[in-house]
Amino acid sequence: MESGRLLAAIIDHAIDGIITIDNRGNVESINPAALELFGYQAEEVIGHNVSMLMPEPDRGNHDGYIHNYQTTGHKKIIGIGREVMGLKKNGQTFPFRLAVSEVWLKDKNIFTGFIHDLSREKAAEDMLKQHAAELEHKVSERTKDLISLVSELEKAKAEVSKSLEKEIELNQLKSRFVSMASHEFRTPLSSVQLSASLIEKYAERPDDKASIIKHTNKIKGAVQLLTSILNDFLSLEKLEAGIVVMNKQYINLVELAEEITEEMQLICKKNQHIVYQHTGEIGHFTLDPNLLKNALVNLISNAIKYSGEDTLIEFTTCIDEQGCLISVKDNGIGIPEEDQVHLFEPFFRAHNTGNIPGTGLGLNIVKRYIGLMEGHMEFESEVHKGTSFRVSFSSSHQPLKDK
């Protein structure tokens, strides 16, 4: 008797909920802790099927669990325990740990369920997961920021490196310019000074007119060279400043080429001849006549300069449905293979040019002029056999017949 009261006191004051059911699933007893968890009074639960304390799908399946155990003896939870969900009177659900034991009393068996509320643990677990997710998100954001920062630093580093390379390149160009300019200006100026002095002496001898004419021509040639050098510097300055204005027109290419040929023939060496030829029925094309003339004059001037006497310079133009092709070919000294990769760099001159005057700017200017007109430039060269430059323009939006 005393032991019974002691057991009842223990059950009534237990922290965890304790429920007993018969083999049909009806509640025979429920302690205060369980009543508080589910929000019921004892009379509302005792005698009713314990499934009333379960949400679906356990509510609909509970009787089947008991029947299956009684039929097969297979235990799903008895003596094992598991986490399940409980249903309160107000409709709320909560997690709890359920441990079930089977007790035999005389000729019947009852099942006792021990209920440990997991709400706090689950809330703490959810909060921990939330904090972990937030931390992961922050780490991800910080990582992105760090990656972005590193990327910006790499970009800045590349820009600084590029700027340094550009500065080094500019310093090299300045050095090459000073070296080239001092040499190229000194030679014609010395020639002018010497020829002027000689003319002064020859002027005292009226019968020596031929010598005066000879040195006058030398002065003219030196002045022409200086003018050419200055024009190259001015053209480069305009290109670098981005103030070269392109003005495409539908021009008569054949007439322009014939005009250039006639002008350049005047400065050819002894028995040098420029042979011009045009192929194709079309003679007009849309180009900037000033930029094109400057480019072709430079190419033909180089052909004259780097070819010897008694040579031919082939100047050809062709217009067809594919576009416009212009070429200038000489039989001059040619360009060494190792120098060809640097040919279009400003102030660069091939090492076999010797004392032939030049700034090393002409081809750089020509290529940039052709580029402004959306053209393409290429060349072939072999030492002692000559050089051929080809300039091509696409026929996009060009008329197919002359006006």
Side-chain angles (χ1 to χ4, degrees):
M1 195 71 173
E2 187 67 28
S3 61
R5 286 197 297 270
L6 177 60
L7 179 59
I10 292 173
I11 293 173
D12 288 343
H13 292 85
I15 297 175
D16 289 337
I18 301 174
I19 301 175
T20 61
I21 62 173
D22 61 22
N23 55 15
R24 290 176 298 174
N26 295 325
V27 177
E28 291 193 346
S29 67
I30 180 170
N31 74 338
L35 291 172
E36 184 178 352
L37 278 175
F38 289 96
Y40 284 100
Q41 298 296 322
E43 58 271 18
E44 294 178 288
V45 179
I46 295 174
H48 296 278
N49 195 289
V50 74
S51 62
M52 67 181 291
L53 305 178
M54 305 174 187
E56 295 292 352
D58 290 337
R59 172 180 287 190
N61 296 331
H62 183 261
D63 290 344
Y65 296 154
I66 295 176
H67 177 73
N68 182 66
Y69 169 66
Q70 292 174 339
T71 304
T72 65
H74 178 67
K75 300 178 181 179
K76 283 193 174 181
I77 191 172
I78 299 172
I80 300 173
R82 65 174 180 175
E83 291 184 13
V84 296
M85 296 297 294
L87 178 65
K88 295 187 177 185
K89 183 179 179 180
N90 61 9
Q92 293 182 347
T93 58
F94 67 97
F96 64 89
R97 176 86 183 169
L98 175 63
V100 179
S101 62
E102 185 180 14
V103 180
W104 287 89
L105 295 174
K106 297 183 179 179
D107 57 348
K108 71 172 186 175
N109 63 325
I110 62 172
F111 300 96
T112 303
F114 298 89
I115 300 167
H116 177 70
D117 185 16
L118 296 176
S119 298
R120 291 184 179 180
E121 287 88 337
K122 290 295 181 183
E125 185 179 327
D126 291 341
M127 187 175 294
L128 183 61
K129 288 181 179 179
Q130 182 180 350
H131 288 328
E134 291 174 356
L135 180 60
E136 186 176 349
H137 178 70
K138 288 182 179 180
V139 169
S140 177
E141 290 298 317
R142 293 291 176 86
T143 302
K144 289 179 181 178
D145 292 341
L146 183 59
I147 292 173
S148 177
L149 179 59
V150 171
S151 177
E152 289 296 324
L153 288 173
E154 289 293 335
K155 185 177 179 181
K157 179 182 176 182
E159 290 177 354
V160 170
S161 177
K162 187 176 180 181
S163 297
L164 289 173
E165 290 177 2
K166 189 69 175 178
E167 186 175 350
I168 292 172
E169 182 181 350
L170 288 174
N171 287 333
Q172 290 175 343
L173 288 176
K174 287 177 183 177
S175 298
R176 286 161 65 179
F177 167 74
V178 171
S179 175
M180 179 278 304
S182 62
H183 176 268
E184 295 299 331
F185 278 97
R186 185 185 299 114
T187 301
L189 287 175
S190 298
S191 177
V192 169
Q193 185 179 23
L194 177 61
S195 294
S197 300
L198 291 173
I199 288 173
E200 186 177 7
K201 289 183 179 181
Y202 292 141
E204 298 173 358
R205 295 152 46 187
D207 58 331
D208 206 352
K209 185 178 180 181
S211 295
I212 292 176
I213 293 174
K214 173 184 175 183
H215 287 288
T216 300
N217 289 333
K218 283 187 176 182
I219 290 175
K220 289 179 180 178
V223 171
Q224 183 181 12
L225 176 59
L226 288 172
T227 301
S228 176
I229 292 172
L230 288 174
N231 285 337
D232 281 349
F233 290 157
L234 291 173
S235 297
L236 182 64
E237 183 182 10
K238 288 181 179 179
L239 284 166
E240 291 295 337
I243 58 176
V244 176
V245 178
M246 183 179 63
N247 180 25
K248 279 191 174 183
Q249 303 173 29
Y250 192 58
I251 63 172
N252 189 323
L253 179 61
V254 177
E255 287 185 1
L256 179 63
E258 289 175 344
E259 176 187 322
I260 294 171
T261 302
E262 185 177 348
E263 292 177 4
M264 299 305 293
Q265 185 64 54
L266 296 175
I267 64 171
C268 281
K269 298 175 183 176
K270 181 181 178 181
N271 290 327
Q272 264 190 345
H273 294 284
I274 304 171
V275 180
Y276 170 68
Q277 183 177 9
H278 176 78
T279 57
E281 297 180 0
I282 305 170
H284 288 76
F285 205 82
T286 303
L287 292 166
D288 184 314
N290 293 322
L291 294 184
L292 182 63
K293 183 174 182 178
N294 286 333
L296 294 180
V297 165
N298 195 298
L299 291 177
I300 296 174
S301 176
N302 280 349
I304 294 171
K305 187 191 305 183
Y306 297 112
S307 298
E309 299 176 351
D310 305 309
T311 56
L312 290 178
I313 296 168
E314 299 176 42
F315 176 27
T316 63
T317 57
C318 175
I319 302 176
D320 55 24
E321 294 183 357
Q322 280 69 47
C324 174
L325 178 64
I326 304 172
S327 69
V328 176
K329 182 179 180 181
D330 64 55
N331 298 300
I333 62 174
I335 305 164
E337 186 175 353
E338 62 271 21
D339 290 338
Q340 292 181 13
V341 68
H342 303 292
L343 192 60
F344 295 107
E345 295 177 5
F347 301 112
F348 176 80
R349 303 195 71 205
H351 70 264
N352 64 335
T353 55
N355 293 323
I356 300 173
T359 62
L361 292 174
L363 289 177
N364 176 266
I365 294 170
V366 170
K367 188 173 180 65
R368 293 169 75 168
Y369 279 172
I370 299 302
L372 285 173
M373 292 185 285
E374 300 177 330
H376 177 69
M377 185 175 180
E378 58 186 5
F379 71 94
E380 291 180 0
S381 186
E382 189 173 346
V383 175
H384 304 310
K385 291 188 178 181
T387 303
S388 173
F389 284 94
R390 291 183 299 277
V391 178
S392 58
F393 301 93
S394 170
S395 62
S396 301
H397 309 298
Q398 293 287 335
L400 298 181
K401 294 183 179 179
D402 288 340
K403 293 181 179 179

